[in-house]
Amino acid sequence: MSDKTTTMPTTYDPKAAEQKWYDFWQQGQFFKAGQRPDAKPFTIVIPPPNVTGMLHIGHALDFTLQDIIIRTKRMQGFDTLWLPGTDHAGIATQTKVEQKLREQGLSRYDLGREKFLEQVWDWKELYAATIREQWGKMGLSLDYSRERFTLDEGLSKAVREVFVRLHEKGLIYRGKKIINWDPAARTALSDIEVEYKELNGHLYHLQYPLKNGSGHITVATTRPETMLGDTAVAVHPEDERYKHLIGQMIVLPVVGREIPIIADEYVEKEFGSGAVKITPAHDPNDFEVGLRHDLPQIIVMDETGTMNEFAGPYQGLDRADCRKQLVKDLQEQGICIRIEDHVHQVGHSERSGAVVEPYLSTQWFVAMKPLAERAIEAQKSGNGVNFVPDRFEKIYLNWIENVRDWCISRQLWWGHRIPAWYCESCGEMHVAREDVTACAACGSTSLRQDEDVLDTWFSSALWPFSTLGWPEETEDFKRYYPTNVLVTGYDIVYFWVARMIFTALEFTDQIPFKDVLMHGLVRDAEGRKMSKSLGNGVDPLDVIENYGADAMRYMISTSSTPGQDLRFRIEKVEQARNFANKIWNASRFALMNLEGFTAADIDIKSNLGTAERWILHRLNETVREATRLIDSYEFGETGRILYNFIWDDLCDWYIEFAKLNLYGTDEQAKRATQSVLAYVLDRTQRLIHPFMPYISEEIWQHLPHEGESITLAAWPEYDEALEAPEAVKEMELLMDIIRAVRNVRAEVNVPMSKKVELLIKPSAEAEAAIVSRNEEFIRRFCGTSMLETGLGLAAPDKAMTAIVTGAELYLPLAGLIDISQEIARLEKELATLISEVERVEKKLGNVGFVAKAPAKVIEEERAKMTDYAGKRDKVLARIEELRS
């Protein structure tokens, strides 16, 4: 799909280009894996976004980084697979659909399980299609023929296989334990689905009376409503204060139940009163104490956080209301003797935001220690994954070394239903890969499947291999697994990365990916986390609509450093758009001078001038560095060197130098310049393509080229033959001379339209030869009426002087400016600067200002003073130079 060079529009239109080229790429199936059977495979599986809504700017960062990697590897000749997919997201998606139903005055129970799930599937189809459309808008080079969903039939088969195998090994079990309970969503949560927030609360000191009437024992709690479920008070066995009370009974206030005083080393003698209330059904530590002492487990609230029949007079109250009423009653009875302000960490549900309740419940668990041990051994032996940055390895190991059993059952309807059946006749439980229709123990067909579904992270943990066909030995699994790199945010190291590693080792005997590239969060311009409440979120589609996908991609990828948060600034997107326009304008100029020039005409070996050899050398250096940096995932640095090469070397220097040959009469020199222009622009588009896929394809199609699409063009390689250090030395001297002369012109307000006299005194014969060979360039770009060079030149009177490496430059001022007028102007400027310096010095000398002003303001004032003082000194030096 190629256009004639003459049809390249004056300005670049992202909207027109983006849809055209994405359709072209899809029709050509350029992103489909398996078309290079002899090439080495390279695989990325996308971290599947949840089908809960639209993609946000964090997704845009995550996906753009992956696309940069996969596009580069595709151009480097790999058989690349970037596998797309979405996650059913269990509780998050169910919550969204239930909110929608509530707006209609309905609940899931009104619909029933089957009808409710139909609604969720409709939601999934809508948002999966939306996400797919957004992927396209971002220009992602995904293989849609292999798209997966975590509730697909194949993935469901993998989930059951893993569940059954772990159950057969005793690593999945059903038991009664204290778990994190979300009373709003009415489901269990795993430890890492709980967000801890520091809240201002209270510590309530309660006096429990001894049964024998001899006194009291004081305990303290932050959750007085749970006292209704107390089944003991514990003290340390060596605590002399309480040794005589061990074994005695207490009458629990309000409910009047008799509970024992027990001794347990769990209690810290030095903390508080040294006596703690034990509530086995509502505290994980108390639960363990209760098991050791065979204490009853009394649950005092139901699944919604409402107090139940064991709460006595508070039955039917919400837990928060119960607390208020209970504390009031205990104060009146003289049992609550003191209330202290207390700052503590309170767990909240990551999904619903509700305060999490530690709750005794029968759930399914994964025994994590045996699985974690293998992952730890792999990492410590050097056979684990490579974290980028490497500091995340320590974070990962710290978590997995201290991991607790994972609660995997959820009291939801949307998700992978637990493959366990209970016989209603004999009570036997069956865990199986296929649906069970008859009891193996008694033959009864009266079976009931477990109502719960699996934690969404259970299926996500299998993503790198379940998406490729496991447990079947598919061709894709054999070729593309293990994958090469996982790109993800640092906030889900525990949720997802660790779980993928230990499941992969258990079921495939291999790590699931070689590298894990961790990126940070996208924050607003002030560094705040983006949220609905702050209204500071950024919709990537809005950015694309206003600035184009390339500008957004370039900004967001090159502003990021591995493992660090980045600030989203729209000004940087505007800069990226300006960069795209710079590339466009440079290419358009070149193409106007390549009329009739073809790819076969390109010859970068013959008749090359200094500028041509220099730009090829700089391109070669850029290729080497860009390749190294992309391989190291240093996209910010890659962007910087590409920007510098394209904007400075190519556009601001080489294209200007090239005009002399393009508009000149030397046909050989013109053909050499055309060849170099075509070659360098072609390679430049290839280098920038992973970052800016659309504009690079548009330009490349206009350039002399071979091949169907830049997406399949070969990645540029470093070529030692293009090294030209002598040309670099020559060009650096020329550029230094030109810059210096232009700076002097600017300082004395002489426009480029006004010719100047220039005298150059080279420092040695080599520099003299360079100046002599390039007099035409110097005359053109310095705007000289007279150019004189010589090793023995003396500095003329009344001349501006500039020193560069390899030469001294003199610009006689006579006829250029009125020296007395220029001195007067500079003296006026000097007075202003002196005044500014004095003003800032006075401000910084004010003790009151320095004491009260923010550090940032003081730093800004100091920077101003340094700037003003520097300008003052330069103007003073200029005045002295003019006077002398």
Side-chain angles (χ1 to χ4, degrees), residues 797-798 819 823 877-884:
D797 292 336
K798 293 184 180 178
I819 292 176
I823 290 172
R878 179 69 58 214
I879 291 169
E880 292 302 316
E881 187 174 39
L882 289 171
R883 281 177 174 158
S884 65

Side-chain angles (χ1 to χ4, degrees), residues 176-337:
K176 199 172 187 181
K177 284 188 174 189
I178 291 280
I179 48 88
N180 302 296
W181 184 262
D182 181 337
R186 290 196 243 176
T187 182
L189 304 171
S190 69
D191 290 343
I192 54 178
E193 289 173 304
V194 179
E195 293 180 324
Y196 286 91
K197 300 177 184 178
E198 193 172 87
L199 298 181
N200 294 317
H202 297 96
L203 191 62
Y204 303 87
H205 294 265
L206 310 176
Q207 278 190 341
Y208 287 1
L210 297 171
K211 181 186 176 185
N212 63 16
S214 63
H216 302 83
I217 191 164
T218 303
V219 298
T221 180
T222 58
R223 299 193 304 147
E225 67 278 8
T226 63
M227 68 166 283
L228 303 168
D230 286 359
T231 55
V233 168
V235 297
H236 194 279
E238 303 301 323
D239 194 331
E240 295 296 334
R241 293 172 294 175
Y242 300 118
K243 271 189 175 183
H244 66 290
L245 295 179
I246 295 168
Q248 290 198 36
M249 301 301 285
I250 287 167
V251 179
L252 186 64
V254 181
V255 292
R257 192 170 62 249
E258 293 182 10
I259 61 174
I261 297 175
I262 61 172
D264 197 285
E265 291 186 350
Y266 155 70
V267 181
E268 296 177 41
K269 287 189 290 184
E270 295 77 21
F271 185 76
S273 67
V276 296
K277 60 192 282 300
I278 302 298
T279 321
H282 290 279
D283 182 278
N285 294 315
D286 292 4
F287 176 75
E288 297 297 333
V289 173
L291 290 180
R292 288 196 290 274
H293 296 271
D294 198 24
L295 297 175
Q297 300 164 338
I298 301 174
I299 301 171
V300 296
M301 62 185 77
D302 67 16
E303 295 174 350
T304 66
T306 302
M307 307 309 289
N308 63 17
E309 67 274 16
F310 294 105
Y314 307 103
Q315 182 177 356
L317 289 180
D318 174 78
R319 56 186 172 156
D321 294 333
C322 171
R323 178 181 297 183
K324 291 176 190 171
Q325 187 60 49
L326 175 61
V327 169
K328 183 180 177 218
D329 293 346
L330 293 175
Q331 284 178 307
E332 289 174 357
Q333 295 168 28
I335 291 165
C336 181
I337 58 169

Side-chain angles (χ1 to χ4, degrees), residues 698-765:
E698 180 78 26
I699 292 171
W700 191 81
Q701 292 286 353
H702 284 84
L703 287 169
H705 69 273
E706 292 176 345
E708 200 173 355
S709 168
I710 195 172
T711 61
L712 304 180
W715 181 257
E717 293 185 4
Y718 173 79
D719 182 356
E720 196 173 336
L722 296 179
E723 288 296 297
E726 290 305 312
V728 171
K729 183 180 177 183
E730 190 159 325
M731 274 296 290
E732 283 177 350
L733 178 57
L734 291 178
M735 291 188 294
D736 283 349
I737 290 170
I738 294 163
R739 280 195 205 98
V741 171
R742 288 179 173 179
N743 286 341
V744 170
R745 278 176 168 275
E747 285 171 12
V748 296
N749 296 314
V750 175
M752 284 299 294
S753 57
K754 193 168 187 178
K755 298 292 184 182
V756 296
E757 293 181 6
L758 175 62
L759 289 81
I760 301 176
K761 181 182 179 181
S763 58
E765 289 289 351

